[in-house]
């Protein structure tokens, strides 16, 4: 559910599909706004285009190259930082 926090008006509702979501982070850069989504047991990050919150688009998956699942994720501006508990990787979409 995407909504305006100041008015609580709903922009859109969409199904993420797949395994349970373990983390969602906003990614903000000069080229736009995205959501980075990690899933239970997964080693990839799903990227969603949220420039227009009423029309969320799937941008595909970011391969972390981890052999084990993502354990934690955070973002800083346009950077996505992920770890599998052993290695930390930083990506710029």
């Amino acid at each position: 559910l995407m909504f305006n926090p100041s008015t609580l008006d709903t922009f859109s509702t969409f199904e993420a599909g797949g395994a349970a979501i373990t983390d969602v982070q906003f990614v903000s850069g000069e080229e736009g706004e995205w959501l980075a989504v990690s899933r239970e047991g997964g080693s990839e990050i799903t990227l969603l285009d949220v420039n227009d919150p009423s029309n969320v688009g799937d941008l595909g998956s970011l391969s972390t190259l981890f052999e084990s699942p993502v354990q934690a994720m955070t973002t800083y501006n346009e950077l996505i930082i992920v770890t599998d508990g052993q290695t930390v990787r930083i990506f710029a979409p």
Side-chain angles (χ1 to χ4, degrees), residues 3 12 22-24 28 34 36 41 43 46 63 66-67 69-70 74 76 85:
F3 67 94
S12 67
T22 57
D23 199 355
V24 176
S28 181
W34 306 277
S43 62
T46 301
S63 176
F66 292 144
E67 292 182 19
V70 171
T74 192
Y76 178 74

Side-chain angles (χ1 to χ4, degrees), residues 4 24 32 42 52 55 59 61-62 66-67 70 79 89-91:
N4 181 330
V24 176
D52 177 2
N55 187 26
L59 297 173
S61 296
L62 171 65
F66 292 144
E67 292 182 19
V70 171
L79 301 177
R89 295 206 167 110
I90 301 172
F91 300 93

Side-chain angles (χ1 to χ4, degrees), residues 8-82:
L8 300 180
D9 291 336
T10 300
F11 289 119
S12 67
T13 302
F14 61 93
E15 293 289 327
I21 294 172
T22 57
D23 199 355
V24 176
Q25 299 282 331
F26 271 101
V27 182
S28 181
E30 290 180 17
E31 296 179 19
E33 302 282 331
W34 306 277
L35 281 180
V37 178
S38 64
R39 298 180 182 280
E40 186 174 302
S43 62
E44 294 185 343
I45 303 297
T46 301
L47 296 175
L48 302 171
D49 181 348
V50 293
N51 282 301
D52 177 2
S54 63
N55 187 26
V56 175
D58 187 350
L59 297 173
S61 296
L62 171 65
S63 176
T64 64
L65 304 176
F66 292 144
E67 292 182 19
S68 56
V70 171
Q71 297 297 312
M73 174 177 64
T74 192
T75 59
Y76 178 74
N77 295 327
E78 61 190 32
L79 301 177
I80 301 170
I81 301 98
V82 294

